[in-house]
């Protein structure tokens, strides 16, 4: 058969059409769209209602003043201006353990501020459950508080962002409390988000607050959720998980964009993730890091709005997958303009809270810090435990002779002159109710009960039942109670039995001792089950009331001496 001749013009058109993909090199489609779409995730975690700039160590990022919602909002807006294909996300604990300006109004101000910052998606964290499931659902749905009504001048509208809880399941229905995943279209490509909290949440939240819920393994659920997203055609997948780790440089401050001697529970979670979850935004440990764990990018932005994480994704338009991912942690400095929308929220609630927050309740002699010595005892922990003992030692209040309090319940330092009232003579400074509320914002209630000496020994050993090897969750103890321990010892043999004493008198295994602790610990929070085994319970005053009363009666208060707990090795 003779070969057909193709006209020259038609040959030129065909040649041009065949050459088009090569000529575009890095583009796809007839419109010349880039093959890779640059998407920016702006991530925060562990905000804890810090609308105003946090004080003390919470307000410093490697010696740089950092944080404050007005400045955070401005930094986010500036980052979005750099790349309009941006989305703001979070890894839990936005609320709970909040300063007075948020907590006094049941954290509604923080939800309003997050809405103003255009937060899109957040995982739940353990502190989202502090006030129970019903209150957490109200945070999302809106509506006035069932007891205090509408405090902000109108009905609370709830979160405009989506909470996710892939591994939090209702026992009655086996359904997740909030959706497991969310899909958002950014720059013309779809990004899938999985949201989880740590499976150990029942250890650190009151049992009553999470009744009816089960917390499942993070990695197993994340992999299952990612597989469902893949079946839906969503291939760019990000995990928001409220679990974390920490880096430990040999000396000096940690670098926010390094991952030195990294370790923690998040390592185990990430090690079990499939390759189709290349980006993990984490939290919970209040530390910052920027890590590569295997094929996964793993980040955390510290806490309290001190920092944001910019995560740059390059997503292949043709496959929908993340081709490249990188991240940078950036300090939320206070040298930028304040965001007017967030300023308006702070001014409204600040005015409502001012009378309560600025009420003088006592004075301090210098700073009282929550940082612990090598034994795990802190100057502020000593003072809080003493305040709780003072509030419960009278016969009518339970006749306690020792008080235990958890280090995780101490949320801020007391800094002389850091608040609205300056220090006198450079040392003595007045302390306000707001100062003390920042220290103990949970509203826990003191409980007094009887424990045997053997139960107290078991309680002290439970401080070492910790998922972090070579570490302990040391309870702070009141004046007069002393003991010695070895960190490097077999399980159940850390504490020297004969060293456990009150006012120098050894506590025998059969001795009966009246003990004070907050209801959070007694109900199983923190992982000290021995406290729940006490008998003859008497319910006392809120912990914040005990602390205020102590300052009123003992001011000026000096830092604790940290001489109650002795570590031998």
């Amino acid at each position: 058969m003779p070969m057909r001749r193709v006209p020259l013009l038609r040959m030129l058109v065909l040649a041009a059409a065949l050459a088009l993909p090569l000529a575009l090199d890095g583009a796809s489609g007839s419109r010349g769209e880039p093959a890779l779409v640059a998407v920016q995730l702006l991530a925060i975690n562990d905000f804890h209602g810090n609308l105003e700039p946090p004080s003390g160590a919470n307000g410093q990022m490697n010696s740089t003043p950092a944080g404050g919602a007005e400045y955070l909002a401005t930094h986010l807006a500036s980052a979005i201006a750099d790349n309009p294909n941006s989305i703001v996300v979070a890894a839990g604990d936005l609320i709970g353990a909040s300063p007075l300006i948020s907590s006094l109004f049941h954290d509604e101000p923080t939800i309003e501020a997050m809405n103003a910052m255009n937060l899109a998606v957040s995982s739940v964290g353990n502190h989202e459950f502090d006030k129970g499931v019903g209150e957490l659902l109200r945070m999302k749905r809106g509506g006035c508080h069932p007891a205090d009504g509408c405090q902000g001048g109108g009905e609370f509208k709830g979160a405009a962002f989506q909470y996710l809880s892939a591994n939090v399941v209702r026992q009655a229905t086996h359904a997740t409390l909030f959706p497991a995943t969310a899909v958002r279209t950014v720059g013309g490509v779809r990004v899938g988000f999985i949201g989880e909290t740590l499976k150990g949440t029942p250890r650190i939240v009151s049992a009553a607050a999470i009744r009816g819920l089960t917390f499942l393994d993070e990695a197993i659920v994340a992999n299952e959720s990612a597989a469902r997203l893949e079946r839906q055609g969503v291939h760019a997948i990000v995990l928001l998980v409220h679990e974390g780790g920490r880096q430990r440089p040999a000396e000096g401050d940690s670098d926010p964009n390094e991952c030195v001697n990294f370790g923690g529970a998040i390592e185990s979670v990430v090690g079990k993730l499939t390759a189709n979850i290349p980006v993990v935004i984490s939290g919970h440990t209040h530390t910052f890091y920027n890590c590569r764990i295997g094929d996964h990018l793993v980040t955390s932005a510290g806490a309290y709005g001190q920092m944001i994480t910019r995560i740059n994704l390059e997503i292949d338009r043709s496959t929908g997958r993340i081709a490249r991912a990188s991240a940078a942690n950036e300090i939320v400095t206070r040298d930028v303009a304040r965001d007017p929308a967030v300023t308006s929220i702070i001014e409204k609630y600040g005015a409502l809270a001012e009378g309560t927050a600025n009420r003088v309740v006592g004075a301090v002699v210098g700073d009282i810090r929550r940082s612990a010595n090598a034994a795990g005892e802190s100057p502020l922990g000593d003072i809080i435990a003493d305040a709780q003992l003072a509030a419960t030692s009278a016969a009518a209040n339970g006749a306690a002779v020792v008080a235990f309090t958890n280090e995780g319940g101490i949320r801020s330092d007391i800094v002389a002159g850091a608040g609205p009232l300056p220090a006198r003579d450079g040392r003595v400074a007045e302390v306000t109710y707001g100062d003390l509320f920042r220290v103990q914002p949970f509203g826990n209630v003191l409980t007094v009960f009887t424990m045997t000496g053997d139960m107290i020994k078991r309680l002290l050993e439970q401080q070492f039942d910790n998922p972090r090897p070579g570490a302990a969750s040391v309870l702070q103890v009141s004046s007069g109670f002393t003991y010695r321990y070895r960190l490097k010892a077999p399980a159940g043999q850390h504490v020297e039995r004969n060293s456990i004493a009150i006012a120098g008198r050894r506590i025998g295994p059969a001795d009966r001792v009246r003990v004070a602790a907050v209801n959070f610990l007694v109900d199983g929070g923190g992982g000290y089950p021995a406290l729940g085994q006490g008998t003859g319970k008497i319910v006392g005053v809120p912990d914040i009331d005990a602390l205020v009363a102590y300052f009123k009666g003992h001011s000026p208060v000096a830092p604790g001496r940290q001489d109650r707990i002795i570590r031998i090795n």
Side-chain angles (χ1 to χ4, degrees):
M1 176 182 290
M3 185 171 62
R4 294 178 57 191
R5 298 184 62 186
V6 181
L8 179 61
L9 179 60
R10 187 176 175 189
M11 289 180 64
L12 292 173
V13 171
L14 286 170
L18 292 171
L20 184 59
L22 295 175
L24 289 174
D25 189 24
S28 66
S30 59
R31 295 192 302 272
E33 296 172 325
L36 297 178
V37 181
V39 172
Q40 180 177 235
L41 310 181
L42 300 171
I44 61 173
N45 54 274
D46 297 275
F47 183 72
H48 290 292
N50 277 262
L51 299 174
E52 298 173 308
S55 61
N58 293 347
Q60 298 285 323
M61 182 58 65
N62 287 354
S63 301
T64 299
E70 299 159 292
Y71 306 109
L72 173 62
T74 297
H75 279 271
L76 290 171
S78 176
I80 292 170
D82 291 342
N83 181 359
N85 294 336
S86 295
I87 184 169
V88 182
V89 299
D93 276 11
L94 299 175
I95 58 175
S98 305
L100 191 67
I101 190 175
S102 185
S103 184
L104 190 63
F105 307 102
H106 307 288
D107 276 323
E108 293 174 15
T110 294
I111 299 297
E112 292 181 13
M114 290 296 132
N115 291 344
M117 294 182 210
N118 296 310
L119 177 66
V121 181
S122 177
S123 67
V124 294
N126 56 284
H127 281 287
E128 261 82 17
F129 293 94
D130 281 349
K131 302 301 181 182
V133 173
E135 181 65 356
L136 175 53
L137 292 173
R138 188 181 74 86
M139 290 292 98
K140 173 55 185 168
R141 298 170 181 167
C144 299
H145 190 269
D148 294 335
C150 298
Q151 299 173 284
E155 184 168 355
F156 173 57
K157 295 181 180 179
F161 58 91
Q162 180 61 64
Y163 267 125
L164 301 178
S165 62
N167 68 329
V168 184
V169 176
R170 293 183 183 271
Q171 294 169 359
T173 64
H174 305 292
T176 57
L177 181 64
F178 292 108
T181 62
V183 179
R184 297 291 183 266
T185 299
V186 188
V189 293
R190 293 198 294 171
V191 182
F193 296 94
I194 304 164
E196 298 182 314
T197 187
L198 67 156
K199 68 179 179 182
T201 293
R203 283 176 50 94
I204 52 178
V205 173
S206 166
I210 56 173
R211 187 171 291 117
L213 299 178
T214 297
F215 293 79
L216 304 175
D217 183 85
E218 306 97 333
I220 292 173
V221 172
N223 289 336
E224 292 172 349
S225 299
R228 284 195 295 272
L229 287 170
E230 292 275 4
R231 291 193 294 270
Q232 296 167 21
V234 180
H235 307 301
I237 300 174
V238 176
L239 174 60
L240 308 170
V241 58
H242 192 71
E243 180 60 286
R246 62 186 71 243
Q247 57 171 322
R248 298 177 177 85
E251 58 184 20
D253 291 332
S254 299
D255 187 322
N257 288 299
E258 288 190 355
C259 190
V260 179
N261 296 324
F262 186 78
I266 192 65
E267 266 195 312
S268 176
V269 174
V270 173
K272 300 171 186 174
L273 295 179
T274 57
N276 57 0
I277 308 177
V279 177
V280 178
I281 298 170
S282 65
H284 186 53
T285 54
H286 292 197
T287 59
F288 48 74
Y289 43 83
N290 186 354
C291 298
R292 292 278 177 180
I293 301 177
D295 295 328
H296 307 273
L297 174 65
V298 183
T299 69
S300 173
Y304 308 122
Q306 302 165 319
M307 188 172 283
I308 60 174
T309 306
R310 289 199 194 210
I311 300 170
N312 297 304
L313 307 180
E314 294 183 39
I315 300 177
D316 190 309
R317 191 183 296 275
S318 62
T319 66
R321 297 192 179 279
I322 297 172
R324 285 185 288 273
S326 60
N329 281 322
E330 297 182 0
I331 297 175
V332 174
T333 59
R334 301 177 193 161
D335 57 356
V336 298
R338 298 183 297 171
D339 180 87
V342 177
T343 297
S344 176
I345 294 168
I346 292 173
E347 288 178 346
K348 178 179 75 170
Y349 287 103
L352 293 172
E354 185 174 10
T356 300
N358 291 339
R359 174 163 50 92
V360 176
V361 296
V364 292
V365 180
D367 300 344
I368 305 180
R369 302 283 183 175
R370 60 182 179 141
S371 54
N373 61 13
E377 184 180 351
S378 73
L380 188 50
D382 285 354
I383 299 303
I384 291 172
D386 287 351
Q388 294 181 358
L389 179 61
T392 56
S393 59
N397 298 328
V401 294
V402 60
F404 296 103
T405 194
N406 57 313
E407 57 177 340
I410 307 171
R411 306 304 293 193
S412 182
D413 302 325
I414 298 176
V415 181
L421 304 169
R424 303 193 307 269
D425 303 324
R427 285 177 52 79
V428 178
E430 291 179 320
V431 173
T432 66
Y433 183 88
D435 293 329
L436 298 188
F437 194 91
R438 279 190 289 272
V439 173
Q440 292 205 284
F442 292 104
N444 285 313
V445 176
L446 293 172
T447 305
V448 183
F449 46 93
T450 298
M451 299 180 74
T452 64
D454 183 66
M455 292 166 66
I456 290 175
K457 171 66 160 60
R458 283 190 280 115
L459 167 65
L460 298 178
E461 292 293 349
Q462 286 164 3
Q463 297 175 119
F464 306 93
D465 296 340
N466 192 298
R468 290 185 291 128
S473 297
V474 176
L475 292 164
Q476 306 300 292
V477 300
S478 55
S479 178
F481 185 89
T482 55
Y483 70 95
R484 297 189 300 272
Y485 76 87
R486 290 181 170 83
L487 185 60
K488 299 174 182 178
Q493 300 177 37
H494 293 276
V495 177
E496 291 185 353
R497 181 179 291 277
N498 291 336
S499 72
I500 305 171
I502 294 179
R505 178 186 176 277
R506 175 179 172 270
I507 300 174
D511 288 347
R512 295 171 62 81
V513 180
R514 292 293 280 173
V515 171
V518 294
N519 62 307
F520 165 76
L521 294 172
V522 177
D523 292 343
Y528 307 98
L531 287 171
Q533 298 168 1
T535 59
K537 291 183 174 66
I538 294 177
V539 176
V541 300
D543 56 2
I544 181 63
D545 290 357
L547 190 59
V548 168
Y550 186 83
F551 269 78
K552 285 182 176 179
H554 295 79
S555 287
V557 177
R561 295 172 59 183
Q562 301 171 271
D563 58 358
R564 304 166 188 182
I565 305 171
I566 305 299
R567 175 180 165 180
I568 300 171
N569 65 17

